[in-house]
């Protein structure tokens, strides 16, 4: 995501980034299953990622998935 969100060692950052990527793929597939076109689903997920980057707060990993679903 962004080095600003790094809270611990580099391992935590990589793990967080991997979670975001996994959720992005999951949500894209979910949106497609609900009738969205691939391009629209990818745009919605990209907008969600931009929103995460623009926030001045850290979203805890246990709340990240729910936040991404709500925002997409």
């Amino acid at each position: 995501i962004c080095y600003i969100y790094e809270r611990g060692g580099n391992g935590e950052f990589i793990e967080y980034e991997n979670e975001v990527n996994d959720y992005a793929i999951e949500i894209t597939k979910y949106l497609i299953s609900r009738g969205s076109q691939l391009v629209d689903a990818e745009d919605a997920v990209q907008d969600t990622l931009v929103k995460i980057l623009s926030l001045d707060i850290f979203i805890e990993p246990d709340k990240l998935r729910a936040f991404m679903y709500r925002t997409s």
Side-chain angles (χ1 to χ4, degrees), residues 1-3 5 10-24 49 58 61 64 68:
I1 292 270
C2 183
Y3 64 89
Y5 294 125
N10 194 33
E12 288 181 31
F13 172 71
I14 292 170
E15 184 177 328
Y16 190 83
E17 184 176 23
N18 288 339
E19 284 185 37
V20 170
N21 288 331
D22 291 345
Y23 295 150
L49 297 175
F58 176 78
L64 180 62
M68 289 181 70

Side-chain angles (χ1 to χ4, degrees), residues 33-50:
S33 76
R34 303 302 293 170
S36 292
Q37 297 295 316
L38 174 61
V39 174
D40 296 330
E42 290 174 337
D43 284 346
V45 171
Q46 183 177 1
D47 290 345
T48 299
L49 297 175
V50 168

